[in-house]
Amino acid sequence: MWFFLDIFLSVFLFVYCFLHHSEFFSPFLPHTDEDPLQPVTSDETVPVGGTVTLTCRVAESDNSSLQWSNTAQQTLYFGGKRALRDNRIQLYRSLPTELSITIADVQLSDEGEYTCSIFTMPVRTARATVTVLGVPSKPQISGSEDAVMEGETVTLTCTSTGSKPPAKIQWYKGAEELTGEGCRQYVNPLPDGLTYNVSSTLSLTVSSNDDNVPITCAVNHPSLALGDKRSEQALRVLYSPIIQIQPEKGLPREGGKFSLQCLTNGNPEPANYIWERRDGDLPLLAKPDGAVLYFSMLNKSDNGVYVCHADNGIGKSSGEYTLQVQDPTAMSTSSGVDHAVIGGVVAVIVFILLCLLIVFGRYLIRHKGTYLTHEAKGSDDAPDADTAIINAEGGHSGADDKKEYFI
Ligand SMILES: *[C@@H]1O[C@H](CO)[C@@H](O)[C@H](O)[C@H]1NC(C)=O
Ligand SMILES: *[C@@H]1O[C@H](CO)[C@@H](O)[C@H](O)[C@H]1NC(C)=O
Ligand SMILES: *[C@@H]1O[C@H](CO)[C@@H](O)[C@H](O)[C@H]1NC(C)=O
């Protein structure tokens, strides 16, 4: 029973202290009262090789001297006076209320706590922590020197050294970031004990579409203000040919020339092509020349399915084309130019018919009396009403012509 009460009390006390920790621990925390003579500094972060400015300010001055000292408690500047011979360290500003210094070409060994003191009674101090970032080297990609077969898995390794804290490596295929299972990052401390060797492996199963696609390794790090550092390497994938047969433009007309081209996409490009005609030999006037099959004179008997086979050493593929030889007079309907020509001819015919109709209409009004007899005359040997009208019109004027030409 007492045991449980003990536990309850301990838990209560712990929770109480936790919730009111600031008041509870206040005697142990630094004073936050406004003391106008208390120097104020700020922590700084700087990449290796960079320049850092350390600023120490007091709200009011009693003309006591300000002083900066380094991580080894050596005085750097006392007021405006240099105390340590190091050309990297320069005075930036010295006022009764401020002492600022710069440290150029910062090294990893410059990291640590710097102290600003003001020689009041008693001496007041403030500390500034300088964090030095190790700058990662440009990443190096290895492992994709040789071309790989489609369907195989390629493993690439990207390494960057010298980062502190460890850098982050990202992989991209084209513009797409690759994440997940295939990517593994390893972090190893370097012998200097301060910086890291970061490497990442990428396992990727490649397809024919990946041939010549760039793989990018990007190193991200807070020290890289201008963006990440990258390296790129193109994948090389070997794959069987993919075949498409492209016929020559225009219709294959009997008696005319024609050609078929075997378009292949493969790595490497196929060196040899074989043309065949399904169910039979190639026609005598069809001559294969590498990727092209030439027909010097088409004949309807050439109709059939033509097959192109290609082998690039990785694999074999074939493509087919069904040839259908047209009449020598066949009009192509697939081309836009032909549509325009047909449209133009139709428009001219319609225009002529309209003109004839107007002329005939005027004629009709003037010769109303004779129309019936003329129409009857025209309709005798006309197959339809339109022809009858034209015949009737022509018949009238044609009567005199006949006299002129045939008598
Ligand atoms: C600080 O020094 C300046 C001149 O050197 C003097 O005018 C000023 O009164 C001094 N201030 C204090 C608080 O001693
Ligand atoms: C960094 O790590 C990679 C892979 O673990 C290794 O091949 C390389 O030699 C290392 N580089 C240095 C400088 O330690
Ligand atoms: C097509 O071939 C047949 C026999 O193979 C021949 O009789 C005919 O004249 C040929 N046509 C043309 C347009 O060459």
Side-chain angles (χ1 to χ4, degrees):
M1 185 64 202
W2 288 112
F3 174 72
F4 285 111
L5 196 64
D6 261 10
I7 289 180
F8 175 79
L9 269 175
S10 314
V11 168
F12 175 82
L13 266 175
F14 180 81
V15 169
Y16 179 88
C17 294
F18 186 78
L19 289 176
H20 297 83
H21 68 97
S22 51
E23 290 100 288
F24 191 82
F25 291 112
S26 60
F28 310 106
L29 291 173
H31 284 285
T32 50
D33 319 350
E34 299 286 315
D35 173 0
L37 292 175
Q38 171 62 36
V40 178
T41 59
S42 61
D43 295 342
E44 303 294 339
T45 298
V46 58
V48 167
T51 298
V52 65
T53 303
L54 296 177
T55 300
C56 181
R57 284 197 183 93
V58 288
E60 276 173 25
S61 170
D62 69 347
N63 287 350
S64 304
S65 285
L66 285 157
Q67 170 191 294
W68 269 112
S69 50
N70 68 11
T71 56
Q73 272 95 50
Q74 294 167 302
T75 302
L76 300 176
Y77 270 90
F78 183 78
K81 288 189 200 70
R82 179 202 290 261
L84 188 76
R85 205 176 272 276
D86 185 342
N87 282 334
R88 298 185 304 131
I89 304 170
Q90 297 291 334
L91 183 67
Y92 180 71
R93 192 181 288 140
S94 175
L95 302 169
T97 56
E98 178 183 336
L99 179 63
S100 296
I101 61 170
T102 58
I103 308 172
D105 190 19
V106 169
Q107 301 301 308
L108 287 166
S109 54
D110 292 328
E111 179 165 291
E113 237 175 29
Y114 288 73
T115 311
C116 173
S117 314
I118 184 161
F119 289 88
T120 49
M121 285 298 275
V123 173
R124 292 167 169 83
T125 61
R127 292 179 209 289
T129 301
V130 171
T131 305
V132 181
L133 301 173
V135 182
S137 65
K138 185 172 162 39
Q140 302 289 328
I141 302 180
S142 60
S144 73
E145 291 79 11
D146 300 323
V148 283
M149 296 276 229
E150 62 179 325
E152 283 187 354
T153 300
V154 63
T155 300
L156 303 179
T157 303
C158 179
T159 301
S160 169
T161 60
S163 57
K164 171 184 161 305
K168 190 168 172 276
I169 290 181
Q170 281 168 303
W171 290 98
Y172 295 88
K173 185 171 97 178
E176 170 205 1
E177 186 179 350
L178 301 170
T179 52
E181 286 290 294
C183 307
R184 268 161 203 273
Q185 184 151 332
Y186 304 90
V187 175
N188 290 303
L190 283 170
D192 64 10
L194 297 170
T195 61
Y196 296 89
N197 177 8
V198 185
S199 61
S200 177
T201 59
L202 170 70
S203 293
L204 196 64
T205 303
V206 296
S207 74
S208 59
N209 291 333
D210 295 330
D211 188 35
N212 284 323
V213 169
I215 298 291
T216 306
C217 168
V219 175
N220 270 305
H221 197 260
S223 66
L224 302 173
L226 302 174
D228 53 21
K229 284 185 176 175
R230 328 186 133 215
S231 283
E232 204 178 271
Q233 188 145 344
L235 285 175
R236 286 188 303 132
V237 183
L238 301 172
Y239 58 100
S240 341
I242 299 161
I243 296 186
Q244 229 189 345
I245 295 186
Q246 190 179 53
E248 187 184 316
K249 280 213 174 68
L251 276 185
R253 292 193 181 85
E254 189 162 34
K257 286 182 181 171
F258 200 61
S259 66
L260 296 175
Q261 185 166 15
C262 192
L263 296 179
T264 54
N265 176 19
N267 189 18
E269 279 292 316
N272 293 308
Y273 298 86
I274 297 169
W275 283 97
E276 264 182 6
R277 179 184 188 175
R278 184 167 314 150
D279 313 320
D281 294 335
L282 284 181
L284 282 174
L285 294 178
K287 293 272 175 283
D289 180 8
V292 186
L293 179 64
Y294 292 104
F295 293 84
S296 51
M297 186 162 66
L298 286 173
N299 190 307
K300 286 238 164 103
S301 62
D302 297 342
N303 281 352
V305 177
Y306 290 82
V307 187
C308 168
H309 299 274
D311 185 345
N312 67 348
I314 304 297
K316 298 175 191 184
S317 301
S318 56
E320 290 185 356
Y321 181 78
T322 304
L323 178 66
Q324 186 127 37
V325 177
Q326 309 286 309
D327 288 329
T329 54
M331 291 255 270
S332 170
T333 51
S334 60
S335 123
V337 175
D338 289 343
H339 276 298
V341 169
I342 292 168
V345 169
V346 168
V348 167
I349 291 172
V350 167
F351 179 71
I352 290 171
L353 281 177
L354 275 174
C355 291
L356 282 177
L357 210 67
I358 291 167
V359 168
F360 181 67
R362 286 164 144 240
Y363 174 81
L364 200 67
I365 290 162
R366 269 190 268 146
H367 304 272
K368 224 174 187 174
T370 53
Y371 168 68
L372 280 173
T373 44
H374 283 306
E375 195 203 22
K377 220 202 269 174
S379 65
D380 283 343
D381 44 7
D384 57 55
D386 276 351
T387 326
I389 291 166
I390 293 163
N391 281 353
E393 192 188 5
H396 174 73
S397 57
D400 299 330
D401 296 348
K402 268 179 194 163
K403 275 174 201 156
E404 276 179 43
Y405 297 112
F406 298 112
I407 293 171

